[in-house]
Amino acid sequence: MGFGNLFKRSKPKASTRARVEVAPPTRGYSGKQNYDDIVAACRASGQLWEDPEFPADDKSIFPSIQMPQSPHWKRPSEICSDPQLFVGGGSRFDVMQGALGDCWLLAAVASLSLHDELLQKVISPEQDFSTGCIKFSFWQYGEWKDVLVDDRLPIRYTGKQDRPMDLIFMHSDQHNEFWSALLEKAYAKLNGSYENLKGGQTSEAMEDFTGGVTEVINIKGGKAQPDLFNIMKRANDRRSLMGCSINAKPGEVEAKGDMGLVMGHAYSITNVVKATLRNGQQVELVRIRNPWGNEREWEGAWGDDSKEWKMMPEEEKKSIGISYDDDGEFWMCYQDFIKYFQKVELCALGPDSAKNDDPKGKKIRWEAHEESHSWANVTAGGCRNFPDTFWANPQVYIKVEDPDEDDDQDTSTIIIGLMQKDRRKKKQEGGGMRTIGFAIYQVPDEYLTTPPSPLPKGFFLEHKAYARSSSFINSRGICNRFKVPPGNYVIVPSTFKANEDANFLLRIFSEKEHHSVPMDEESGMHEIDQKDKTPAEVAQAAEFHRIFLKVAGEDEDMDAKELMALLNAVYKKQFDFGGFSLETCRSMVSLMDVDESGKLGCEEFVDLYELITLWQRAFRKYDEDRSGKLASIELRNALRDIGLTVSNAALHCSVLRFASSDGEIEFDDYILLCCRLRTCFETIQAMKRGGQLGLDKELFIKTCIYL
């Protein structure tokens, strides 16, 4: 459905209300508007609110093109005589498609309207149009955010005396009901414009309306997984939002296909039942709604007025809610459903999107755990095609303990959803969606620590994945369902290519509660086994001591500049680097200067040499090409070898601070980092011993790294 001649100009009517003065507009959702403050200001001034973040102009509709004719924007009170947010509560029949190609969004809104408690979480029915400000709440990447819009909506003039204007976009079948139109406007604001709602995935909107996780199940050639109907029935019982669609070839989108169905179109699934016929047999039925809300309905078996309904008792029809209206809603038997539809989307509700039980005591929500992480520099390891770096991706541990209650195979259902954050905004900067996926590994006990630390490269080289995402996909998220026996598992999310940065949210839904934590290390020091010095290191120590006595003089004290001259005289012969900087040498003096003289004595120098020898040995081990540079992917291993462990956050900061643009760390920067970490960890230990550790440990460590 296109815009056509919808935007014909007509002489606008003067507003009867004064306009609230606002600051110059900043386009799009900022998260800085406060509903209570805006409402109070409007009531004090007697003016209706005009949203400066989403003005009533062409750029809020189609920012990418110059519209030939601009639409008029009107408030509900200017459109009809008795405007209401809701008329008789929210209903799936309040969701009618307008001139925008966002049937995917309408399918999600129609599903949302089936559940009052979910709809009222998105929009409170207690609001009215007295101030012109309406508040919505949408879930975004782990938290609920309030999105405020004014109640001005784009309209077209009809030329009809009884109904002179209609809404251009989403609307209700009740002319004086506006909740669905305003919800679409708020979602357009969240995404930047109405234009950005053209084309999308129903799964995205379902998640943004509920905080749930949506799995997409593909049906190929009329063949579905054996338990799909039971999965859909169970999802329906748990009040999951559900949608379905039919694939289309180019040029066939929204064209009428076989048996009255629409190609390339998103539908809502509004009920899934097993109904009993007069002869006692059962039939599996699916109720579906076309968001166009018209007579374009299924024309086959179990469609409106089909002969099959004569086989069902009247009381059974009543119990499942049979209607024969041309309202865009119809029934199909399950076998026809999987024959004609190619995709099913099921949005499972988590603990923050639904009450735990329904009135009958049946459990609705899933248990959920979520982890926010990023693929950045050292943690952007790519997929299994990159065996040398795959292990460096973020890892999440889950312990599956109890099987599902109704599972006869003693397995547990887990739904894993991986979602990349804010990538739509990157399109304006030349970016876009990353291609993402994940792998699951079953982990033997001998590989686990307490708390769980990241699995090393060797584990992934020696073990195959237990399961993986159905594909790597270039979209906001991917979600799959798995049946796994009790045990220890590690989930490794990744981009398809290595060295691609993105922020992401990993969510794990399960019917039973399971323990899940990120695989990370606590920053600090640990004991290591000291190796005997090699003959070369013994000779080096003797040379250092000889030069120290020569440079230090009679007082046998050495300052940072003298130390720099000494170290560079030796190490520039061994490494291809520019030498130690004065900053690094000052850090070494500060680390070993026990008597706080600002210089190193002979004993302090000997202790420093022991440390440098240890640090040098680890650097050489991972600098395989003897380039004098360490690949940042190996930094964690090199630090671990010298008795220093760093958390993912501290490792990320270390690489940002000390690695070059190509991800390599020079010997001087490596030594400087070792000095700072060692000084930081010794300070933390001293403060613990003195009972003075009242600071944020991770923040303190990151501050020390960045200094």
Side-chain angles (χ1 to χ4, degrees):
M1 301 178 70
F3 286 95
N5 297 318
L6 295 178
F7 301 141
K8 291 183 177 179
R9 276 211 179 273
S10 172
K11 185 177 180 180
K13 297 180 180 179
S15 174
T16 58
R17 301 294 296 273
R19 182 172 66 87
V20 175
E21 292 298 324
V22 296
T26 300
R27 184 78 55 176
Y29 169 77
S30 70
K32 298 178 180 179
Q33 294 175 326
N34 183 279
Y35 176 73
D36 292 335
D37 290 347
I38 291 171
V39 168
C42 289
R43 287 176 176 165
S45 66
Q47 298 177 341
L48 294 177
W49 186 54
E50 294 186 4
D51 185 3
E53 291 187 352
F54 204 63
D57 61 26
D58 293 359
K59 294 301 181 182
S60 292
I61 298 177
F62 259 87
S64 70
I65 63 172
Q66 181 69 41
M67 297 178 65
Q69 290 182 318
S70 299
H72 294 298
W73 296 71
K74 296 292 183 182
R75 298 185 186 271
S77 59
E78 298 171 311
I79 297 173
C80 63
S81 59
D82 182 30
Q84 302 289 325
L85 195 59
F86 290 92
V87 175
S91 164
R92 60 191 185 277
F93 302 112
D94 300 339
V95 185
M96 312 287 284
Q97 188 169 354
L100 197 63
D102 61 347
C103 60
W104 61 276
L105 174 62
L106 276 74
V109 176
S111 295
L112 175 71
S113 69
L114 296 172
H115 311 294
D116 289 343
E117 75 279 7
L118 299 180
L119 179 60
Q120 291 175 22
K121 189 175 182 70
V122 173
I123 173 173
S124 170
E126 304 303 320
Q127 302 180 85
D128 57 37
F129 305 123
S130 60
T131 63
C133 182
I134 307 295
K135 180 175 72 172
F136 293 82
S137 294
F138 299 116
W139 182 90
Q140 288 284 284
Y141 312 119
E143 60 181 328
W144 287 88
K145 296 183 177 181
D146 289 342
V147 179
L148 312 183
V149 292
D150 63 39
D151 58 8
R152 295 176 295 174
L153 293 164
I155 62 97
R156 64 173 178 176
Y157 287 100
T158 66
K160 299 177 181 178
Q161 187 172 1
D162 60 333
R163 188 167 170 166
M165 62 186 82
D166 278 336
L167 297 176
I168 292 175
F169 301 130
M170 188 188 301
H171 55 278
S172 170
D173 61 351
Q174 301 282 334
H175 186 54
N176 65 331
E177 185 174 42
F178 292 94
W179 73 266
S180 58
L182 289 166
L183 187 152
E184 182 187 44
K185 179 180 180 179
Y187 201 60
K189 176 181 176 179
L190 183 66
N191 287 279
S193 69
Y194 280 93
E195 180 182 13
N196 287 347
L197 302 185
K198 288 188 66 179
Q201 301 292 326
T202 301
S203 56
E204 286 192 27
M206 286 177 173
E207 291 176 341
D208 292 344
F209 294 160
T210 66
V213 64
T214 303
E215 56 183 315
V216 178
I217 302 173
N218 291 308
I219 305 169
K220 298 180 180 179
K223 294 182 179 179
Q225 59 192 74
D227 58 345
L228 177 58
F229 179 81
N230 290 332
I231 291 174
M232 293 171 60
K233 177 69 168 61
R234 193 173 180 84
N236 186 69
D237 293 342
R238 283 179 172 265
R239 300 187 186 177
S240 299
L241 273 62
M242 297 187 286
C244 56
S245 59
I246 302 171
N247 295 338
K249 297 178 182 178
E252 294 181 348
V253 176
E254 297 195 343
K256 184 174 181 179
D258 293 340
M259 307 298 288
L261 299 177
V262 182
M263 308 298 292
H265 194 55
Y267 291 80
S268 304
I269 298 175
T270 60
N271 207 353
V272 181
V273 300
K274 273 189 178 181
T276 303
L277 303 180
R278 295 182 188 276
N279 60 7
Q281 294 182 348
Q282 287 192 316
V283 60
E284 297 173 341
L285 297 174
V286 182
R287 189 175 69 190
I288 301 167
R289 185 172 189 274
N290 180 349
W292 286 353
N294 58 18
E295 71 281 355
R296 192 70 63 85
E297 298 182 6
W298 167 246
E299 298 168 356
W302 299 102
D304 288 3
D305 298 324
S306 71
K307 62 181 181 180
E308 283 78 12
W309 291 112
K310 296 178 181 179
M311 298 186 292
M312 186 178 293
E314 291 300 320
E315 60 272 16
E316 188 76 354
K317 294 179 185 179
K318 184 177 180 180
S319 68
I320 64 175
I322 299 302
S323 171
Y324 301 122
D325 298 328
D326 289 332
D327 52 15
E329 190 168 64
F330 54 88
W331 291 85
M332 298 176 72
C333 73
Y334 173 69
Q335 290 304 319
D336 282 336
F337 172 78
I338 62 173
K339 178 180 178 181
Y340 287 93
F341 284 88
Q342 282 84 47
K343 184 168 68 175
V344 177
E345 294 165 289
L346 308 177
C347 182
L349 303 181
D352 64 342
S353 57
K355 298 176 182 177
N356 190 29
D357 299 312
D358 68 7
K360 298 180 181 178
K362 187 178 294 185
K363 188 173 182 180
I364 296 173
R365 73 176 188 181
W366 292 69
E367 301 296 334
H369 182 85
E370 63 184 39
E371 290 290 339
S372 288
H373 288 283
S374 64
W375 297 293
N377 53 64
V378 74
T379 58
C383 70
R384 278 297 298 263
N385 294 345
F386 303 88
D388 288 336
T389 58
F390 175 75
W391 65 275
N393 285 299
Q395 303 172 24
V396 176
Y397 166 78
I398 176 173
K399 185 175 182 61
V400 178
E401 298 182 271
D402 299 320
D404 297 341
E405 292 180 356
D406 60 349
D407 191 284
D408 55 4
Q409 298 177 342
D410 290 333
T411 59
S412 180
T413 300
I414 57 173
I415 301 175
I416 299 175
L418 175 63
M419 175 188 298
Q420 51 189 317
K421 298 182 179 181
D422 299 320
R423 295 304 300 181
R424 286 183 184 271
K425 298 177 183 177
K426 298 292 183 181
K427 290 182 179 180
Q428 300 174 357
E429 305 167 10
M433 296 293 181
R434 300 301 192 192
T435 301
I436 60 172
F438 58 85
I440 307 171
Y441 291 82
Q442 196 164 25
V443 185
D445 291 340
E446 60 265 26
Y447 281 92
L448 293 175
T449 60
T450 304
S453 58
L455 296 172
K457 177 166 62 176
F459 173 86
F460 297 103
L461 295 177
E462 298 168 2
H463 294 79
K464 292 183 178 180
Y466 177 85
R468 56 174 58 90
S469 56
S470 56
S471 63
F472 273 78
I473 189 168
N474 181 243
S475 66
R476 186 177 81 162
I478 185 168
C479 176
N480 291 123
R481 174 187 299 248
F482 303 92
K483 301 280 281 186
V484 300
N488 300 306
Y489 299 88
V490 168
I491 304 168
V492 184
S494 73
T495 55
F496 185 74
K497 296 179 180 179
N499 300 316
E500 289 191 328
D501 66 305
N503 298 320
F504 69 87
L505 181 70
L506 181 73
R507 294 188 290 164
I508 306 168
F509 277 40
S510 57
E511 292 196 6
K512 292 289 191 70
E513 186 173 2
H514 299 301
H515 177 63
S516 179
V517 293
M519 305 279 279
D520 202 355
E521 292 182 300
E522 183 179 1
S523 298
M525 295 191 296
H526 61 271
E527 296 293 330
I528 59 172
D529 294 330
Q530 293 279 14
K531 296 180 180 179
D532 293 334
K533 294 186 182 68
T534 65
E537 290 171 342
V538 172
Q540 185 183 75
E543 183 179 5
F544 266 129
H545 191 252
R546 178 183 61 79
I547 298 176
F548 175 83
L549 294 175
K550 181 179 178 180
V551 173
E554 293 182 0
D555 60 357
E556 295 191 352
D557 279 334
M558 180 178 289
D559 62 20
K561 288 185 178 180
E562 293 169 330
L563 178 64
M564 181 174 67
L566 185 157
L567 294 179
N568 285 338
V570 176
Y571 279 103
K572 288 180 74 171
K573 298 177 183 178
Q574 302 179 26
F575 285 96
D576 181 16
F577 80 121
F580 289 111
S581 67
L582 184 58
E583 180 186 7
T584 300
C585 293
R586 283 171 173 164
S587 294
M588 285 190 264
V589 171
S590 177
L591 174 63
M592 307 309 298
D593 183 19
V594 178
D595 59 4
E596 299 182 354
S597 65
K599 298 181 178 182
L600 294 182
C602 186
E603 289 186 8
E604 292 169 334
F605 175 80
V606 170
D607 290 340
L608 174 62
Y609 168 73
E610 295 289 337
L611 273 180
I612 294 177
T613 300
L614 175 66
W615 297 348
Q616 170 191 281
R617 189 181 297 154
F619 188 92
R620 285 188 178 279
K621 176 181 176 181
Y622 295 102
D623 177 23
E624 295 180 352
D625 61 358
R626 295 296 183 264
S627 65
K629 297 178 181 179
L630 183 71
S632 57
I633 196 74
E634 299 289 2
L635 179 60
R636 169 171 264 156
N637 290 333
L639 293 175
R640 190 184 290 119
D641 284 0
I642 63 175
L644 303 176
T645 56
V646 288
S647 66
N648 290 331
L651 179 65
H652 178 62
C653 289
S654 299
V655 174
L656 287 178
R657 173 64 178 83
F658 292 102
S660 63
S661 59
D662 57 1
E664 293 184 321
I665 302 172
E666 294 192 358
F667 186 58
D668 173 61
D669 287 321
Y670 164 76
I671 295 296
L672 177 56
L673 172 62
C674 292
C675 286
R676 289 192 176 172
L677 288 175
R678 177 109 182 182
T679 301
C680 176
F681 296 159
E682 288 180 350
T683 302
I684 291 173
Q685 288 181 347
M687 295 177 73
K688 280 184 176 180
R689 289 192 298 269
Q692 300 172 336
L693 190 62
L695 76 168
D696 183 322
K697 179 181 173 182
E698 279 295 316
L699 179 60
F700 179 66
I701 293 170
K702 289 190 284 187
T703 302
C704 291
I705 292 170
Y706 276 127
L707 285 175

